[in-house]
Amino acid sequence: MHPFSYRQASDEQAAIGAVGQPGAMFLAGGTTLIDLMKLDVQTPSQLIDITPLPLTKITELPGGGVSIGAMVRNSDLAHSELIMTRYPVLSEALLSGASPQLRNMATTGGNLLQRTRCYYFRDVTTPCNKREPGSGCSAIDGYHRIHAVLGTSRHCIATHPSDMCVALTALDAVILARGAGGERRIPINDFYLVPGDHPERENVLAPGELITAVELPAMPFAARSHYRKVRDRASYAFALASAAVALDIQGGAIHDARVALGGVGTKPWRSHDAEKALIGKAPGPDAYRAAAEAALRGAKPHKDNAFKVELAKRTLVRTLTMTAQKTV
Amino acid sequence: MTLTRRDFIAATLATAFALTLGARAAQAEPEAAKIGAKPMATAPASAGGDTMPITLNVNGAAHDLAIDPRATLLDALRERIGMTGSKKGCDHGQCGACTVLADGRRVLSCLSLAVAQQGKAITTIEGLAQGETLHPMQQAFLSHDGFQCGYCTPGQIMSAVGLLTEPVGPEDADVRENMSGNICRCGAYPNIVAAIQDVRKANTNAPV
């Protein structure tokens, strides 16, 4: 691990000021960052520990939404009564991710910035455009069973690894970020960038900006929501494909729907096309399969990950089926 | 010259004691690395590669150390404090052998920086037994032969003790799911699940 200096920030303003210096990075739960520092993938010269910041509350917003402080631990968020009853898809997504120890460490803000598990990104002896712009992509011509089929470019096919963010994407979460110029609100669907020509840019955060909170808008029908994750092991593995779904079923028809996919996209993948395919239809296999076909229509599989296209479709069909069967 | 095991341990302990004294003397300002409350200019931070004075509370005792910011809690426990119960397996948060409790919650000491643990109560496997009386989870692991080769065991037991305070369902499958961050290569899993279920069913309010 490269040498670095370490400081704790006790208020937001000081944290933002300190991270403005060259080579400085925020340290939250550390579950991604310390791991990548041990691999020399990330080499900050200064760590600004933001875990003492008092951003640890989950609070109800006027109008029925919920605000989640950036330092709320994943395990606390997953087990929050408010989240379990109003947004079960988020609780289920969190509990499907990582291990209990990691969930006790990881934070909401940190999870939003989790880095890809692409093995070439994590291996500094191989070229990677995300790690070293212009060096090339080892995955496209390499072994890419775990890689993305949606949102890829000729420069990068790395998958976004988070489960939490897939649920947040289905729920239209808003990210609150504060920088030297004040606070701004970023809808999660505008937060992540597809790789394009700049895979090293993963989100729209400006240098020095601190994520302070995530807000979930009021969405009463999200009480009928579900997260399903398909992976190589029964537990403690990243998704090969996952789906976050919320369904508003009224009078035997789907009145509204939210669909997001994980494990298959270069960012948490919202599918408005799948939602359109569902709205107005009777819940059932025909509507679900049509939604799945719509969701994967733009997929660009490579030789080792072609199986993900059908896997993601079946995962979405199964998730929609189970969501519709939920009693709320 | 022949060095007996007793000589070696005595020499090692003496060195450790001297280092500890040195660290305590060097500790002028425990909060030296905090920013925010006071102006940045007066808040010294360690330059790259330098050490920082910290105090770790491990199993109820304070340990003063001068430590490189790169040191993980696991390395501080094993290499500096001499508590080698927590094991280094993968060192990347994947195997759970290094699991300890921080303020009663199970975490991975290999992904925790030692300098970030000040003010937290750390509990390691060495802190579970009360004198000669084993923690009920330690006893249950013995009774069910959940120790097996022993390498993953401290992490398994710490994880299991952490599990007791979490909202985990009653079934064996719930225990398996919630122990999935702890990897055992010699196949003690059924015995480990049985040990944990014994302790949970006994409904002991086991001290942590």
Side-chain angles (χ1 to χ4, degrees):
Chain A
M1 206 187 289
H2 285 242
F4 59 86
S5 63
Y6 166 91
R7 285 189 276 190
Q8 285 189 347
S10 54
D11 67 62
E12 290 176 29
Q13 224 40 54
I16 293 161
V19 90
Q21 296 165 39
M25 285 183 79
F26 289 132
L27 171 70
T31 55
T32 288
L33 182 57
I34 303 296
D35 183 25
L36 292 177
M37 286 168 67
K38 287 185 176 189
L39 297 169
D40 286 345
V41 173
Q42 303 219 256
T43 55
S45 56
Q46 291 188 59
L47 283 188
I48 314 298
D49 184 352
I50 51 173
T51 50
L53 298 184
L55 304 170
T56 55
K57 299 274 196 310
I58 303 168
T59 47
E60 217 172 334
L61 294 168
V66 172
S67 171
I68 304 158
M71 288 300 121
V72 172
R73 304 285 164 172
N74 280 6
S75 44
D76 290 335
L77 187 58
H79 294 126
S80 150
E81 193 67 31
L82 211 49
I83 300 300
M84 287 193 296
T85 52
R86 292 193 192 173
Y87 311 97
V89 63
L90 177 55
S91 180
E92 292 167 13
L94 285 159
L95 291 176
S96 77
S99 68
Q101 290 99 312
L102 288 163
R103 295 195 292 267
N104 276 343
M105 301 168 73
T107 62
T108 305
N111 199 315
L112 287 165
L113 304 179
Q114 189 181 171
R115 307 300 302 275
T116 182
R117 302 298 292 195
C118 173
Y119 4 83
Y120 303 103
F121 171 75
R122 292 170 60 84
D123 177 357
V124 294
T125 65
T126 62
C128 166
N129 288 324
K130 189 182 276 299
R131 180 167 27 78
E132 206 174 314
S135 62
C137 173
S138 305
I140 288 174
D141 296 318
Y143 181 61
H144 41 244
R145 181 173 177 273
I146 66 167
H147 287 73
V149 294
L150 291 165
T152 57
S153 78
R154 64 196 177 94
H155 301 295
C156 184
I157 57 170
T159 315
H160 194 277
S162 167
D163 295 294
M164 180 191 84
C165 298
V166 182
L168 291 181
T169 297
L171 294 171
D172 276 333
V174 176
I175 294 159
L176 275 64
R178 184 185 247 205
E183 193 167 68
R184 63 178 177 137
R185 303 167 59 84
I186 311 162
I188 192 165
N189 219 26
D190 301 334
F191 183 77
Y192 293 106
L193 301 168
V194 290
D197 292 335
H198 289 283
E200 76 282 4
R201 290 190 62 222
E202 297 180 340
N203 58 61
V204 299
L205 275 187
E209 273 188 309
L210 170 74
I211 295 173
T212 55
V214 174
E215 286 186 5
L216 300 177
M219 196 184 284
F221 75 84
R224 189 197 294 274
S225 63
H226 181 47
Y227 188 75
R228 191 163 181 85
K229 178 173 177 179
V230 178
R231 45 190 159 178
D232 284 327
R233 291 189 298 240
S235 188
Y236 196 18
F238 288 89
L240 291 171
S242 71
V245 161
L247 287 177
D248 183 5
I249 301 172
Q250 295 180 22
I254 298 170
H255 183 70
D256 204 348
R258 292 286 186 280
V259 173
L261 299 174
V264 289
T266 51
K267 64 180 222 172
W269 200 259
R270 178 77 176 268
S271 180
H272 294 287
D273 290 343
E275 293 167 7
K276 277 183 208 141
L278 290 165
I279 292 169
K281 304 288 184 340
D286 292 347
Y288 303 155
R289 189 68 201 184
E293 294 295 337
L296 274 297
R297 195 159 290 141
K300 288 199 179 82
H302 287 72
K303 68 179 188 320
D304 303 318
N305 68 1
F307 75 98
K308 280 194 175 187
V309 178
E310 181 59 23
L311 182 68
K313 288 179 188 173
R314 292 185 190 187
T315 302
L316 179 53
V317 168
R318 182 72 178 149
T319 312
L320 288 164
T321 307
M322 294 187 74
T323 308
Q325 287 169 355
K326 270 194 167 185
T327 49
V328 288
Chain B
M1 124 183 195
T2 54
L3 186 66
T4 65
R5 185 169 180 272
R6 187 184 296 259
D7 291 338
F8 177 76
I9 291 172
T12 310
L13 285 176
T15 310
F17 186 59
L19 283 173
T20 305
L21 278 181
R24 189 176 279 280
Q27 192 190 11
E29 192 186 0
E31 299 283 297
K34 272 235 163 74
I35 56 169
K38 48 195 145 185
M40 290 286 296
T42 64
S46 81
D50 288 353
T51 59
M52 294 178 69
I54 64 165
T55 304
L56 289 182
N57 177 350
V58 183
N59 302 326
H63 297 266
D64 296 332
L65 304 169
I67 204 152
D68 188 313
R70 291 175 289 182
T72 60
L73 175 59
L74 176 62
D75 288 340
L77 290 169
R78 291 181 56 85
E79 310 292 337
R80 300 297 300 280
I81 298 175
M83 290 188 185
T84 52
S86 306
K87 295 292 182 276
K88 184 179 279 199
C90 70
D91 208 27
H92 283 275
Q94 296 170 7
C95 77
C98 68
T99 301
V100 300
L101 305 182
D103 290 337
R105 302 175 71 164
R106 47 178 164 157
V107 297
L108 299 170
S109 59
C110 79
L111 293 183
S112 306
L113 294 180
V115 288
Q117 308 309 310
Q118 295 196 85
K120 292 180 189 167
I122 306 296
T123 308
T124 71
I125 190 76
E126 289 93 342
L128 287 189
Q130 305 289 312
E132 293 298 305
T133 308
L134 293 179
H135 187 284
M137 195 63 78
Q138 292 173 305
Q139 187 56 56
F141 267 63
L142 272 176
S143 305
H144 288 276
D145 196 19
F147 272 84
Q148 294 270 84
C149 92
Y151 196 82
C152 74
T153 315
Q156 298 274 6
I157 291 176
M158 296 313 293
S159 195
V161 171
L163 179 155
L164 295 175
T165 64
E166 297 168 3
V168 172
E171 305 299 327
D172 284 0
D174 299 317
V175 171
R176 281 192 207 101
E177 166 64 27
N178 280 279
M179 290 297 290
S180 64
N182 292 78
I183 311 296
C184 158
R185 295 184 62 167
C186 57
Y189 289 123
N191 300 351
I192 289 171
V193 172
I196 295 170
Q197 290 293 51
D198 254 17
V199 177
R200 299 178 86 206
K201 282 168 190 159
N203 196 24
T204 49
N205 292 313
V208 169

